[in-house]
Amino acid sequence: MEVSKGEILRVAGPVVTATGMHARMYDLVEVGEEGLMGEVIGIEGERAIIQVYEDTSGVRPGEKVVNTGRPLSVELGPGLLGRIYDGVQRPLPVLREMMGDFIRRGVSAPALDRKKKWKFIPSVKAGEKVSGGGILGEVQEAEHVVHRVLVPPNVSGRIKEIYEGEFTVEEPIGYFEDGKEIKMMHTWPVRFPRPAKERFMPDVPLLTGQRVLDTFFPVAKGGTAGIPGPFGSGKTVTQQQLAKWSDADIVVYIGCGERGNEMTEVLEEFPKLEDPRTGAPLMERTVLIANTSNMPVAAREASIYTGITIAEYYRDMGYDVSLMADSTSRWAEALREISSRLEEMPGEEGYPAYLAAKLSEFYERAGRVRTLCDKEGSVTIIGAVSPPGGDFSEPVTQNTLRIVKVFWALDAKLAHRRHFPSINWLNSYSLYVDTLRRWYEEKVAPDWGRMREEAMRILQEEAELQEIVQLVGSDALPEEQRLLLEVARMIREYFLQQNAYHEVDTYTPLEKQYEMLKSILKFYEYASRALQSRVPLEDILSLKSRVELSKVKYEKDYKEALKRIEEMMRKEYADLGVEV
Amino acid sequence: MIGVKEYRTITEISGPLLFLEKTEPVGYGELVYITLSDGTKKRGQVLDTSKDFVVVQVFEGTSGIDTGAAVRFTGETIKLPVSSDLLGRILSGSGDPLDGGPRIIPEDRWEITGSAINPWARDTPREFIQTGISTIDGMNTLVRGQKLPIFSGSGLPHNEIALQIARQAKVLGTEEEFAVVFAAMGITHEEAQTFMKDFERTGALERAVVFLNLADDPAIERLITPRMALTAAEYLAYENDMHVLVILTDMTNYCEALRQIGAAREEVPGRRGYPGYMYTDLATIYERAGRIKGRRGSITQIPILTMPGDDITHPIPDLTGYITEGQIVISRELHRKGIYPPINVLPSLSRLMDNGIGPGQTREDHKQLSDQMYAAYAEGVDLRGLVAIVGKEALSARDQKFLRFADLFEDRFVRQGREEDRSIEETLELGWELLAELPETELTRMDRETIEKYHPKKRRKNGDQRS
């Protein structure tokens, strides 16, 4: 932990070479007269290769470099929720106060508010022995979130004194017997996963209120999902919908190398949104990390680690955390850019050969665990991928697919026809379907699995029939098959399509999803019967109840609406002479 | 600049790059002056600096430079003299006056690389800009502070469309006009003339700043032209409270220059030889569009790029599309059909559209109307493929209607005159008129109330005299 000084040898964009200091890998350094923040990413003999998180224009050889002797770390403690940070955990609102509307360099700001006092209520007593990750007490961090103050994972000891009262994050809330101070805040190096006792199999779904996801391609709490999509295919909206509506306790949203204006929308919208479960502002359970595409590339590389470490911290308190990273491709590009400045031997498409290893290390930090304090917590990672040219064979997409268990294939063609969320139901998959099936059948309906399969079968068959239709036209098909095409269209338009901007449609509770799909399938059942009793297909398709089914998604009181439609359906079919 | 020494220590010249030895410590990104033996001056910028050597990229090209040329490091990064007198001026790609006018007396000198706007300081762009072009206003709405590129191909009328937007763009309910900053990178004299003539004809030049790097100007200069232009735009927007429309054409030429530098530095190339950092580099240009909380001005960007081989997956349009908030795609097929503006709405998109439309901005039915038209047109276009195989007769009555809708859509909604400035009301009414050709049961993207209120047939029944 000693501070040592060196001198700059070379500056090439974000990569600086320095000499004359005792550098260890991933030490945090201050570069140049302005003290720009940097990190040692390579050592060649006497020379340390440093990536700098700020713009290096004007930095000269010969200027000093100070090694802090600490690795790049984040501050963990009460006051993280509701905040917005850049890639290296500098709070953006504070930066704005300090340096105006534009990000200037050489400015640092503490991640946690040093002045704010938190009411701490201890849950341990003097004389008790605590170990790493244990709970010391509680702070009401937000209206609905209790912050459990943890012993740093690498610390243990017997408590000599512990106080109740109002403290800042830096003030001691007690002492260990060896005289060490106990604080509400501790730091943790971002590149090291926080430890847990045991990992569980993920068997509880992360509910999102998005019909295509919850019903067809669910992700489990503690699982991993990838959303690759070409630009304009609705990737960002899907990610934001997940951040808004998923039933996680805590959401960490990383805007990694993405658009400034979109980040602003998130920043403006989240505080206004209500958590559908508690009615409190959604922002109170959210941590945002924004490193837009034009902010320094090295900070973009770090942003992913900053985010996952914060997510793990809340997991360690026993919470379900979901982490959205938009987009991991931009992160991989940052790796590539830095690797190329280091003149490393490139792998596929110029990406460094360690790309796959880095990606899997990151996704492996997801999981459902027994924490060090014997609670259950989880981190679910949902990573967006932006394949260049929509080509899924490129290295980032391919390496991601090898790791993640859920694949939500966004499809530009669907987006073009404004089918949103534009998740292709034929190419997507979820390896959690079987493990989650029991949960769904217990909590929602016993015929859940069967119903899902039936709907999937119809969609599959539609795809096959479409090929024939392309050749001979739909009129050449027998009526049963034409009916199937129509029902598939109903599933697509009435069920799969969901309007993120519609007040009601934006979030669909699981039960409503079930009832909606069930009534469409019921219509199919009646229609098949009608066809058997020689009712012409045109008559079936012009039934009013069919049109009514398309509007159910917009109905807040869906039970009432579905009841009405079902009666209508029964009556109409009865009028056609079908037994129902 | 006191005590700045000159060096005659060039050891290597490679393409646009100079390699020097034995200099004092030189800052990364510093501006460099090179004086040739015949007295000509050139400018460059430091790309790599160490105790042993310095790499300089020369903007005006290295022709005529020999190892005896004198190199002077200025100790500062490249700056643009800014002033509100910039309006009405025509400058070179590196900021020197071309119009014979006086030198610009700077009110300040701003670094051309700009700084990233703190995402917390950004304000969401939400004011609807009426361009008078139905395919944009109705279906890919532009808002103040957005960056919306035009993806075109060689030989297509992207310049006319950009000009029409510059001419007609207005924010409803305000009389404020846009100031236009126009940056040309590697376009031909003829194309530049078209722009200049139009600016003069409409009097737009008075509220425009023009930066010209033409096809025969040095390619490397193109790397600073858009940054110069955006610095001028930022000054006008944030110091002078103006709403600025920035047109950058042609970004493809900019990327070629970037590739040239990458190749000269023997960097590991990314896709199709473009440097791996092209995404970040383009982002530092495009992300300079936006609005800032508490400041009145705004920067709206319309970059134009020609897609090599009309290929939208080419790295230039691809990376651009990942940074910008959508794209307007010009279609060769529509152009061949004689339709102007040949904008293909299907691959086009405005990501900020939903901020700028709806009650208070345009009209409450706008979103649903545009979704419905998208869906119907997409279906119609799909059916054309089918007709080519089975013939029109084999289609069902329903499908025939969609086919007809697609034709009508192109002929009446897309097509409009070069001087035709349609109001948003006109655009939306036209949309309804076309959708009324479809059976009401097929309007699945709309809710009941919207249909009741706006469908022309319903309105006639309800005795509404509006249209």
Side-chain angles (χ1 to χ4, degrees):
Chain A
M1 288 286 207
E2 71 201 81
V3 174
S4 65
K5 270 189 194 176
E7 179 183 300
I8 299 178
L9 277 184
R10 179 179 174 189
V11 187
V15 175
V16 167
T17 313
T19 181
M21 54 177 193
H22 302 287
R24 289 175 307 179
M25 280 296 272
Y26 300 119
D27 271 353
L28 197 67
V29 293
E30 289 159 9
V31 177
E33 302 305 327
E34 288 175 275
L36 309 181
M37 196 172 171
E39 188 181 14
V40 177
I41 54 166
I43 295 171
E44 288 170 6
E46 263 294 280
R47 296 168 178 213
I49 319 262
I50 298 160
Q51 64 172 346
V52 182
Y53 296 123
E54 298 175 77
D55 179 33
T56 53
S57 289
V59 176
R60 297 158 189 254
E63 288 183 27
K64 66 173 185 198
V65 178
V66 179
N67 186 357
T68 62
R70 298 179 279 116
L72 178 65
S73 303
V74 287
E75 292 185 356
L76 302 169
L80 286 168
L81 294 182
R83 300 213 87 173
I84 151 155
Y85 295 110
D86 76 351
V88 285
Q89 217 200 3
R90 296 187 299 178
L92 289 172
V94 177
L95 290 190
R96 187 180 179 214
E97 274 166 36
M98 291 169 72
M99 54 186 177
D101 295 335
F102 295 88
I103 307 254
R104 313 267 179 219
R105 55 191 197 175
V107 181
S108 59
L112 293 175
D113 194 330
R114 292 291 190 264
K115 295 204 185 92
K116 185 167 168 115
K117 295 220 177 219
W118 299 94
K119 189 168 166 34
F120 173 73
I121 301 166
S123 57
V124 291
K125 292 194 191 76
E128 263 183 65
K129 194 170 161 11
V130 292
S131 56
I135 298 174
L136 292 166
E138 288 181 348
V139 163
Q140 194 72 39
E141 185 173 2
E143 200 187 332
H144 295 274
V145 183
V146 172
H147 190 106
R148 305 192 173 105
V149 178
L150 304 177
V151 182
N154 45 7
V155 171
S156 62
R158 197 174 293 279
I159 292 173
K160 191 175 155 207
E161 286 173 66
I162 188 115
Y163 317 125
E164 180 172 339
E166 306 236 330
F167 300 97
T168 67
V169 290
E170 277 185 319
E171 285 167 349
I173 53 170
Y175 293 92
F176 285 111
E177 281 198 332
D178 61 3
K180 248 200 285 179
E181 285 180 348
I182 305 174
K183 291 179 190 168
M184 281 194 276
M185 174 191 106
H186 69 270
T187 60
W188 188 261
V190 296
R191 295 183 197 277
F192 296 91
R194 287 173 64 91
K197 262 190 190 155
E198 186 191 351
R199 287 175 83 106
F200 301 121
M201 280 298 285
D203 53 12
V204 179
L206 181 80
L207 298 178
T208 64
Q210 309 304 305
R211 294 187 289 267
V212 60
L213 305 185
D214 289 353
T215 301
F216 288 105
F217 309 106
V219 62
K221 285 191 173 128
T224 53
I227 320 184
F231 67 77
S233 59
K235 177 169 51 66
T236 307
V237 177
T238 309
Q239 283 258 41
Q240 290 177 1
Q241 283 294 94
L242 286 167
K244 280 182 212 167
W245 300 115
S246 69
D247 68 340
D249 301 309
I250 306 290
V251 174
V252 178
Y253 187 94
I254 310 172
C256 172
E258 287 287 320
R259 303 177 182 86
N261 279 334
E262 249 161 37
M263 209 57 231
T264 307
E265 258 183 78
V266 173
L267 298 184
E268 270 182 19
E269 215 173 285
F270 273 37
K272 282 188 221 145
L273 287 170
E274 269 183 17
D275 184 334
R277 292 173 305 162
T278 62
L282 202 56
M283 201 58 199
E284 288 189 1
R285 57 156 195 175
T286 308
V287 183
L288 290 172
I289 294 169
N291 213 83
T292 55
S293 52
N294 55 338
M295 283 156 77
V297 68
R300 193 198 301 166
E301 192 267 341
S303 64
I304 290 275
Y305 296 106
T306 301
I308 188 84
T309 311
I310 293 173
E312 284 174 343
Y313 176 62
Y314 280 95
R315 174 203 71 187
D316 288 350
M317 295 178 208
Y319 288 119
D320 290 318
V321 184
S322 70
L323 177 132
M324 325 281 161
D326 186 13
S327 137
T328 57
S329 292
R330 303 294 158 237
W331 173 67
E333 275 162 20
L335 285 179
R336 172 167 73 182
E337 202 170 322
I338 293 157
S339 161
S340 113
R341 303 267 187 192
L342 295 178
E343 295 169 6
E344 289 173 339
M345 183 69 88
E348 217 179 330
E349 289 197 20
Y351 287 102
Y354 46 78
L355 173 70
K358 288 255 183 186
L359 273 168
S360 51
E361 268 171 35
F362 167 64
Y363 280 106
E364 270 303 292
R365 289 175 79 168
R368 220 170 113 233
V369 302
R370 183 191 309 283
T371 66
L372 296 178
C373 60
D374 284 312
K375 289 187 176 288
E376 262 186 47
S378 69
V379 174
T380 311
I381 298 184
I382 296 163
V385 185
S386 326
D391 169 18
F392 286 1
S393 71
E394 60 91 36
V396 183
T397 313
Q398 280 306 310
N399 283 313
T400 304
L401 287 185
R402 290 221 306 269
I403 308 158
V404 297
K405 297 284 186 294
V406 179
F407 173 60
W408 293 323
L410 289 171
D411 188 335
K413 255 182 124 173
L414 290 174
H416 290 169
R417 58 185 64 199
R418 296 304 187 258
H419 176 113
F420 288 120
S422 53
I423 291 169
N424 186 313
W425 50 92
L426 299 171
N427 299 345
S428 302
Y429 59 76
S430 163
L431 299 182
Y432 297 118
V433 168
D434 288 332
T435 44
L436 295 178
R437 184 170 177 155
R438 222 182 55 207
W439 187 94
Y440 277 106
E441 297 191 339
E442 266 171 26
K443 306 274 172 169
V444 192
D447 60 342
W448 175 278
R450 215 180 36 74
M451 196 183 75
R452 179 187 176 277
E453 275 163 19
E454 162 87 355
M456 270 317 268
R457 186 191 58 82
I458 294 171
L459 291 171
Q460 290 281 354
E461 230 166 278
E462 182 203 23
E464 284 161 32
L465 287 175
Q466 282 296 354
E467 281 173 29
I468 303 173
V469 171
Q470 288 294 326
L471 291 175
V472 297
S474 63
D475 285 352
L477 293 179
E479 291 211 317
E480 288 80 27
Q481 293 188 339
R482 280 173 54 204
L483 173 64
L484 184 126
L485 286 182
E486 284 302 325
V487 173
R489 201 155 69 89
M490 285 164 71
I491 297 178
R492 284 190 281 116
E493 292 183 2
Y494 306 172
F495 188 78
L496 293 179
Q497 283 180 12
Q498 194 167 351
N499 184 349
Y501 299 98
H502 191 283
E503 192 190 349
V504 177
D505 199 23
T506 184
Y507 176 83
T508 311
L510 209 48
E511 201 183 326
K512 181 176 175 186
Q513 299 187 19
Y514 169 75
E515 296 288 343
M516 278 173 78
L517 193 57
K518 200 173 149 187
S519 55
I520 294 173
L521 293 177
K522 191 166 272 172
F523 182 92
Y524 184 35
E525 190 193 319
Y526 292 166
S528 303
R529 255 187 260 169
L531 274 188
Q532 274 164 13
S533 9
R534 316 242 166 229
V535 178
L537 181 61
E538 301 305 322
D539 292 357
I540 298 172
L541 296 184
S542 57
L543 290 181
K544 277 226 172 64
S545 54
R546 193 171 82 98
V547 182
E548 288 298 307
L549 275 176
S550 69
K551 317 281 187 204
V552 177
K553 55 177 156 185
Y554 304 120
E555 301 282 354
K556 194 154 196 163
D557 191 0
Y558 66 94
K559 283 188 183 146
E560 167 65 37
L562 278 170
K563 215 172 102 193
R564 182 170 50 81
I565 294 167
E566 234 158 86
E567 266 164 35
M568 192 172 173
M569 204 149 81
R570 232 169 271 189
K571 190 174 167 297
E572 282 183 325
Y573 274 106
D575 290 349
L576 289 175
V578 182
E579 228 175 277
V580 289
Chain B
M1 273 189 250
I2 302 153
V4 177
K5 285 189 216 154
E6 276 192 347
Y7 295 90
R8 291 176 192 274
T9 54
I10 298 177
T11 53
E12 192 187 328
I13 303 167
S14 156
L17 302 182
L18 302 182
F19 295 80
L20 281 92
E21 271 185 353
K22 293 185 208 106
T23 59
E24 294 283 297
V26 170
Y28 175 76
E30 257 184 41
L31 175 66
V32 177
Y33 286 105
I34 302 127
T35 314
L36 274 54
S37 37
D38 63 356
T40 331
K41 276 201 168 184
K42 293 187 186 241
R43 272 176 299 188
Q45 189 180 14
V46 175
L47 279 189
D48 196 333
T49 169
S50 72
K51 291 207 148 169
D52 311 319
F53 68 93
V54 174
V55 182
V56 175
Q57 68 174 359
V58 184
F59 294 123
E60 286 96 343
T62 46
S63 63
I65 301 184
D66 58 18
T67 51
V71 179
R72 187 162 63 86
F73 297 97
T74 59
E76 59 175 19
T77 47
I78 303 178
K79 294 195 165 90
L80 177 76
V82 284
S83 152
S84 42
D85 293 340
L86 279 171
L87 284 179
R89 299 299 302 267
I90 302 172
L91 309 167
S92 78
S94 42
D96 301 320
L98 283 183
D99 51 6
R103 281 206 81 82
I104 289 143
I105 298 162
E107 285 158 25
D108 203 349
R109 297 173 71 245
W110 283 21
E111 282 202 34
I112 64 158
T113 47
S115 303
I117 301 175
N118 185 330
W120 183 253
R122 275 187 190 267
D123 207 354
T124 306
R126 54 175 87 255
E127 291 141 305
F128 165 69
I129 297 178
Q130 180 178 296
T131 65
I133 297 174
S134 291
T135 37
I136 298 178
D137 294 350
M139 310 196 51
N140 297 288
T141 315
L142 176 69
V143 296
R144 240 183 213 172
Q146 186 174 12
K147 39 194 180 294
L148 189 63
I150 298 179
F151 285 8
S152 185
S154 37
L156 296 177
H158 41 266
N159 290 339
E160 279 93 326
I161 296 171
L163 275 171
Q164 191 171 359
I165 295 173
R167 237 177 8 239
Q168 299 179 168
K170 55 181 150 308
V171 171
L172 292 184
T174 61
E175 297 307 307
E176 290 168 276
E177 278 188 296
F178 280 94
V180 177
V181 173
F182 176 76
M185 290 155 278
I187 65 170
T188 61
H189 282 270
E190 210 176 300
E191 284 170 307
Q193 286 281 324
T194 320
F195 276 99
M196 300 312 299
K197 281 234 176 79
D198 200 81
F199 286 156
E200 272 165 34
R201 179 175 67 90
T202 57
L205 194 57
E206 284 170 35
R207 45 182 186 92
V209 191
V210 178
F211 291 84
L212 288 182
N213 167 289
L214 299 179
D216 54 354
D217 287 332
I220 303 306
E221 191 183 80
R222 282 162 211 164
L223 294 178
I224 52 173
T225 307
R227 298 194 161 85
M228 292 268 174
L230 285 162
T231 307
E234 279 167 3
Y235 186 78
L236 296 175
Y238 303 137
E239 291 294 315
N240 291 294
D241 293 340
M242 299 175 107
H243 293 288
V244 187
L245 187 68
V246 181
I247 300 174
L248 306 169
T249 181
D250 176 332
M251 286 306 290
T252 304
N253 294 330
Y254 171 85
C255 295
E256 297 299 332
L258 205 61
R259 177 161 71 174
Q260 205 183 329
I261 281 288
R265 294 186 69 186
E266 297 176 7
E267 289 168 344
V268 180
R271 264 198 315 154
R272 302 223 191 166
Y274 294 95
Y277 49 80
M278 191 155 91
Y279 176 81
T280 308
D281 189 276
L282 286 174
T284 58
I285 293 176
Y286 297 141
E287 278 293 338
R288 288 170 82 173
R291 302 216 54 175
I292 294 181
K293 284 180 204 158
R295 302 207 194 202
R296 285 196 54 222
S298 67
I299 296 181
T300 310
Q301 266 189 39
I302 303 186
I304 299 171
L305 57 89
T306 45
M307 299 182 279
D310 291 354
D311 176 11
I312 200 167
T313 68
H314 184 280
I316 299 172
D318 192 51
L319 295 180
T320 297
Y322 273 121
I323 305 164
T324 55
E325 286 120 1
Q327 66 275 337
I328 302 292
V329 180
I330 314 267
S331 145
R332 200 169 293 277
E333 198 193 326
L334 288 175
H335 183 60
R336 279 204 202 106
K337 283 187 189 166
I339 292 172
Y340 175 89
I343 294 173
N344 184 359
V345 296
L346 295 181
S348 299
L349 170 74
S350 164
R351 289 165 181 274
L352 300 181
M353 174 165 179
D354 291 330
N355 294 342
I357 64 172
Q361 299 260 31
T362 56
R363 230 168 62 179
E364 56 178 344
D365 58 326
H366 193 156
K367 168 85 178 139
Q368 291 186 20
L369 181 77
S370 107
D371 280 355
Q372 187 66 62
M373 281 205 287
Y374 259 109
Y377 179 58
E379 183 150 6
V381 170
D382 271 0
L383 286 166
R384 281 184 190 158
L386 186 58
V387 168
I389 303 169
V390 297
K392 213 169 183 172
E393 297 69 34
L395 293 189
S396 66
R398 172 191 176 276
D399 288 355
Q400 300 251 11
K401 285 200 171 123
F402 275 90
L403 199 63
R404 192 176 132 70
F405 174 83
D407 292 337
L408 278 175
F409 178 82
E410 286 173 8
D411 195 49
R412 298 197 38 211
F413 194 83
V414 179
R415 187 199 297 278
Q416 67 184 85
R418 281 174 165 72
E419 301 286 332
E420 188 181 349
D421 189 357
R422 287 186 194 153
S423 75
I424 183 65
E425 281 283 328
E426 284 169 339
T427 293
L428 296 178
E429 287 308 319
L430 184 56
W432 273 110
E433 206 180 301
L434 298 181
L435 281 179
E437 302 278 326
L438 295 174
E440 205 189 302
T441 48
E442 295 296 337
L443 304 182
T444 54
R445 305 298 173 104
M446 301 189 161
D447 56 33
R448 234 172 319 171
E449 296 89 66
T450 308
I451 294 178
E452 285 298 324
K453 194 163 167 194
Y454 290 100
H455 197 291
K457 283 180 191 152
K458 304 272 173 179
R459 280 212 310 234
R460 238 165 280 145
K461 218 189 290 169
N462 297 343
D464 186 335
Q465 300 297 315
R466 233 186 320 176
S467 57

